[in-house]
Amino acid sequence: MSNEEKILTAVIYSAAEPSKEQKARFGQFLKNKYGSDIPLQWEMSDAFPGGFRLEVGSDIYDWSVGGRFRQLRDTLVKVPTSNGNIIPLLKESIQAWTPEAMAEQVGEVITVGDGIATVAGLPQATFGEILLFADGVRGMVQDIRRDNIGCVLFSSDESVTQGSSVKRTGKTAGTPVGENFLGRVVDSLGSPVDGLGDITASGYMPVEAQAPPIIDRQPVDTPLETGIFSIDSMFPIGRGQRELIIGDRQTGKTAIAIDAIINQKGKNCICIYVAIGQKTSSVVQIQQTLKKHGALDYSIIVTASASDPAPLQYIAPYAGCAMGEYFMRQGKDVLIVYDDLSKHAVAYRALSLLLDRSPGREAYPGDVFYLHSRLLERAARLSDEIGGGSMTALPIVETQAGDVSAYIPTNIISITDGQIFLESDLFFSGQRPAVNVGLSVSRVGGDAQTKAMKKASGTLRIDLAQYREMEVFTQFASDLDDQTRSQLEYGQGLMRMLRQKQYKPKSQHEQVITLVMALAHTMQGIPADDVPAFIERFIEMVESDHRELCDRIDQTGKLDDDLKQEIIDISAAFRQKWQ
Ligand code: ATP
Ligand code: MG
């Protein structure tokens, strides 16, 4: 800021010149407020009948009739409307209201375009603060420069023009939160977009918040079952974990996240699905899918679609995270899906380039790592002293031609506790979910599995790794010796076993019993194409004839040696009768 601008001057606008006495009182007021003598000028203006307006630097004291009405209106807006009769409350607020001389800081738009406004005259505005433009357009300060600030706009910039005024609000971006958001579709600012009417919020949370510190956390040790066989058995996810779902386009990434949400039914876990830069039609489809499977009641969908301005796409995941934190702080379990962070990074790149930040690798700004690290660090398992709530994050990233070593994928891989890698080749060969067993990992591992699952899944990963190495030989099957051929068959059977249709989550006992049966080589000799039917019949039989066995696994989460042997015996007997 230059020296001249630092000297404050005060200007009074009113219809008639203030008397000497009045001027003296203004002088005193200014001295009290700003701590020094400030030169005072008067300018005639008919715009403020029955009052005046005092401008000191960028502070404005509006003491006109209109200004006082505005103050009264702002007071009345705050009257709670949730309980039926509000007339007495309104009366009380009006009686208690006294007009105040409050400063409003007002700046001026210098340039506007592409959803970005440059504003001068608000030297005290802070990073992330919300500014109010003409016509109620809101924006967020994203760049603080020497003489002006860069602000991103949350809606169309049509009504914002050069020279129009901008007010500070003193608030950082936040979102309304609460139980009433469950079952709803909202935008990045928490406003409903599903046409089902207003949502009464229980609170207001900042969109950007500090991640819980180490002292407030405890280790991840409770499973969050996705109901997806290949994930729960080999790459288990624990409450509070961050597991990346990564793969090319159309490889079933969203399908895994949606299945995981559907599987939380009746498990006391609140789900939040954040759609970033997607088509509105896809979001509607997801809403309908969740509804059809009875999963919408415990879910919130936050959407910033491809047609929304980049700033809204940029804050959407943080807003979703804030909604989740509300529940986590109450000691509840939350599952949040960010679909997807590649589009999020692209929106942030667009915004940064428009703000004239220097582009770095792949034209992303230098802080793109921090963009995602500060988001994903907010997923946590809180300690029991502060409620023991958790937030599990499933970020999704889209790769180009399977390239996991690109900029954004490597960043996010290093932030998360593991990744589920989905492969196009597997997907198109019919192996769905197309989980690549070699490249996927869960760094929380067995801690996030029940004892039963851990014991049952035993050698599955190793067996599959061996199968993959031998797989190249499948084309010479007729020339192979018997042992190699039977090993190949065994591997093929396991791969078939891991195939799973969408919206068909598997319960814990189903997964455990299938694993014990399959890893005991029970399915040897059954043609690969018959494997799904065999497993289906087998599970049907166990569930009807040995119900207590299933219940025991579900309730205790344990699998002792006797129980394991019992399952093997049952399956051997069933295998004998099969054809
Ligand atoms: P995009 O890159 O477009 O976001 P995506 O990777 O999220 O795609 P999905 O939309 O989840 O992929 O799935 C792509 C298609 O594959 C969908 O039509 C979906 O119904 C189908 N699909 C996904 N998983 C399975 C499955 N396990 N069994 C059968 N079909 C599936
Ligand atoms: Mg998708």
Side-chain angles (χ1 to χ4, degrees):
M1 201 189 300
S2 59
N3 270 343
E4 291 90 317
E5 277 170 322
K6 272 191 189 151
I7 300 169
L8 282 177
T9 53
V11 187
I12 299 176
Y13 298 91
S14 62
E17 181 159 12
S19 66
K20 255 206 171 105
E21 235 172 53
Q22 284 172 321
K23 278 188 181 165
R25 267 195 277 154
F26 277 126
Q28 193 56 44
F29 170 76
L30 292 171
K31 193 161 180 176
N32 290 346
K33 202 100 191 175
Y34 298 91
S36 64
D37 281 319
I38 293 173
L40 189 68
Q41 284 172 25
W42 171 69
E43 271 185 38
M44 199 185 93
S45 165
D46 290 331
F48 311 105
F52 62 87
R53 176 166 148 133
L54 177 64
E55 292 190 6
V56 190
S58 56
D59 292 353
I60 293 181
Y61 299 88
D62 191 349
W63 200 253
S64 60
V65 175
R68 276 174 279 174
F69 267 133
R70 246 197 328 271
Q71 274 188 22
L72 176 61
R73 189 191 59 196
D74 291 348
T75 317
L76 292 181
V77 165
K78 289 184 200 136
V79 173
T81 54
S82 48
N83 42 2
N85 194 358
I86 60 161
I87 306 273
L89 285 173
L90 281 178
K91 268 190 189 156
E92 194 183 308
S93 304
I94 293 174
Q95 273 161 8
W97 181 70
T98 44
E100 280 178 73
M102 273 188 318
E104 273 179 348
Q105 290 198 353
V106 179
E108 190 186 329
V109 176
I110 307 178
T111 59
V112 60
D114 298 322
I116 307 277
T118 315
V119 176
L122 289 178
Q124 275 136 23
T126 54
F127 186 83
E129 182 174 337
I130 296 293
L131 300 184
L132 209 57
F133 290 78
D135 268 4
V137 173
R138 283 191 285 174
M140 180 166 61
V141 179
Q142 276 296 299
D143 215 13
I144 299 189
R145 307 179 199 123
R146 224 176 141 76
D147 304 319
N148 55 45
I149 53 184
C151 181
V152 297
L153 302 178
F154 286 143
S155 40
S156 145
D157 57 16
E158 265 164 33
S159 55
V160 178
T161 52
Q162 191 178 1
S164 64
S165 64
V166 191
K167 272 199 238 168
R168 279 187 66 185
T169 62
K171 282 195 209 152
T172 51
T175 173
V177 293
E179 281 74 14
N180 292 335
F181 283 82
L182 294 173
R184 302 297 300 269
V185 186
V186 296
D187 66 13
S188 312
L189 301 169
S191 313
V193 290
D194 52 6
L196 297 175
D198 289 345
I199 304 176
T200 314
S202 325
Y204 192 80
M205 306 259 290
V207 159
E208 296 273 3
Q210 283 263 286
I214 289 179
I215 194 89
D216 288 347
R217 297 180 183 237
Q218 61 173 315
V220 172
D221 61 4
T222 316
L224 182 125
E225 282 145 7
T226 61
I228 300 166
F229 202 1
S230 43
I231 296 181
D232 288 350
S233 61
M234 291 182 286
F235 315 105
I237 299 172
R239 297 189 180 216
Q241 186 176 342
R242 301 152 300 176
E243 183 82 4
L244 172 64
I245 301 172
I246 185 167
D248 281 1
R249 53 176 300 277
Q250 289 288 305
T251 48
K253 302 183 297 296
T254 305
I256 287 200
I258 297 301
D259 278 349
I261 292 179
I262 290 173
N263 193 47
Q264 301 314 310
K265 193 171 177 181
K267 294 202 171 110
N268 262 331
C269 183
I270 284 159
C271 300
I272 299 173
Y273 177 83
V274 185
I276 308 157
Q278 296 194 33
K279 290 178 299 209
T280 306
S281 60
S282 320
V283 180
V284 171
Q285 212 166 22
I286 283 168
Q287 181 204 15
Q288 281 167 354
T289 306
L290 291 182
K291 192 165 180 181
K292 194 169 136 208
H293 293 90
L296 195 59
D297 300 339
Y298 56 86
S299 305
I300 303 173
I301 300 178
V302 181
T303 170
S305 70
S307 61
D308 281 327
L312 284 180
Q313 296 184 35
Y314 160 57
I315 67 162
Y318 303 100
C321 188
M323 291 184 191
E325 274 167 349
Y326 170 78
F327 296 108
M328 175 171 73
R329 302 264 167 213
Q330 293 178 344
K332 295 182 180 159
D333 291 315
V334 179
L335 169 68
I336 185 161
V337 177
Y338 303 112
D339 195 1
D340 64 57
L341 291 187
S342 316
K343 296 197 186 75
H344 184 235
V346 168
Y348 186 61
R349 171 168 69 184
L351 196 146
S352 301
L353 291 173
L354 289 169
L355 282 166
D356 279 345
R357 290 194 192 142
S358 50
R361 185 174 156 191
E362 290 179 26
Y364 288 105
D367 62 344
V368 74
F369 184 88
Y370 181 54
L371 177 77
H372 294 137
S373 65
R374 71 173 194 269
L375 172 71
L376 294 170
E377 272 297 295
R378 287 161 74 180
R381 168 98 193 279
L382 296 180
S383 66
D384 289 334
E385 289 85 68
I386 50 172
S390 73
M391 180 147 65
T392 312
L394 296 180
I396 295 179
V397 161
E398 185 184 306
T399 51
Q400 308 292 328
D403 181 12
V404 281
S405 59
Y407 190 23
I408 300 299
T410 43
N411 273 354
I412 301 179
I413 286 174
S414 69
I415 298 166
T416 47
D417 309 299
Q419 70 270 351
I420 308 283
F421 182 67
L422 303 176
E423 207 176 48
S424 293
D425 288 351
L426 284 174
F427 189 84
F428 292 121
S429 70
Q431 181 69 29
R432 304 175 187 183
V435 179
N436 178 316
V437 179
L439 289 179
S440 303
V441 65
S442 164
R443 285 189 266 275
V444 171
D447 284 352
Q449 266 175 328
T450 60
K451 289 206 174 63
M453 197 61 155
K454 206 158 145 182
K455 187 156 184 181
S457 59
T459 56
L460 179 60
R461 281 194 75 175
I462 300 167
D463 290 354
L464 284 173
Q466 273 171 357
Y467 166 66
R468 265 203 326 281
E469 285 190 352
M470 288 198 300
E471 203 185 353
V472 273
F473 298 123
T474 31
Q475 40 195 319
F476 319 115
S478 55
D479 304 336
L480 296 173
D481 60 277
D482 280 351
Q483 201 204 343
T484 318
R485 195 175 311 122
S486 79
Q487 248 182 330
L488 275 173
E489 259 177 33
Y490 171 62
Q492 270 168 350
L494 293 182
M495 291 298 277
R496 286 296 169 121
M497 171 188 82
L498 292 175
R499 289 189 188 181
Q500 190 173 348
K501 291 207 176 76
Q502 271 183 291
Y503 322 126
K504 292 254 181 320
K506 289 193 196 296
S507 63
Q508 183 177 202
H509 72 255
E510 184 175 351
Q511 298 193 23
V512 168
I513 293 169
T514 311
L515 280 170
V516 171
M517 178 274 294
L519 294 181
H521 292 252
T522 311
M523 296 191 294
Q524 205 76 55
I526 298 179
D529 288 341
D530 293 345
V531 164
F534 176 80
I535 296 178
E536 202 181 320
R537 293 292 108 69
F538 172 63
I539 292 295
E540 271 170 18
M541 182 275 292
V542 178
E543 282 181 345
S544 67
D545 298 356
H546 304 274
R547 190 71 238 177
E548 79 300 332
L549 194 149
C550 305
D551 292 343
R552 212 155 94 207
I553 295 173
D554 281 338
Q555 281 153 17
T556 62
K558 291 201 183 106
L559 178 75
D560 52 37
D561 288 337
D562 292 346
L563 193 57
K564 191 171 170 184
Q565 193 53 50
E566 196 183 332
I567 298 172
I568 293 176
D569 294 344
I570 295 171
S571 55
F574 184 76
R575 173 72 181 89
Q576 292 240 303
K577 277 186 265 161
W578 182 267
Q579 278 148 21

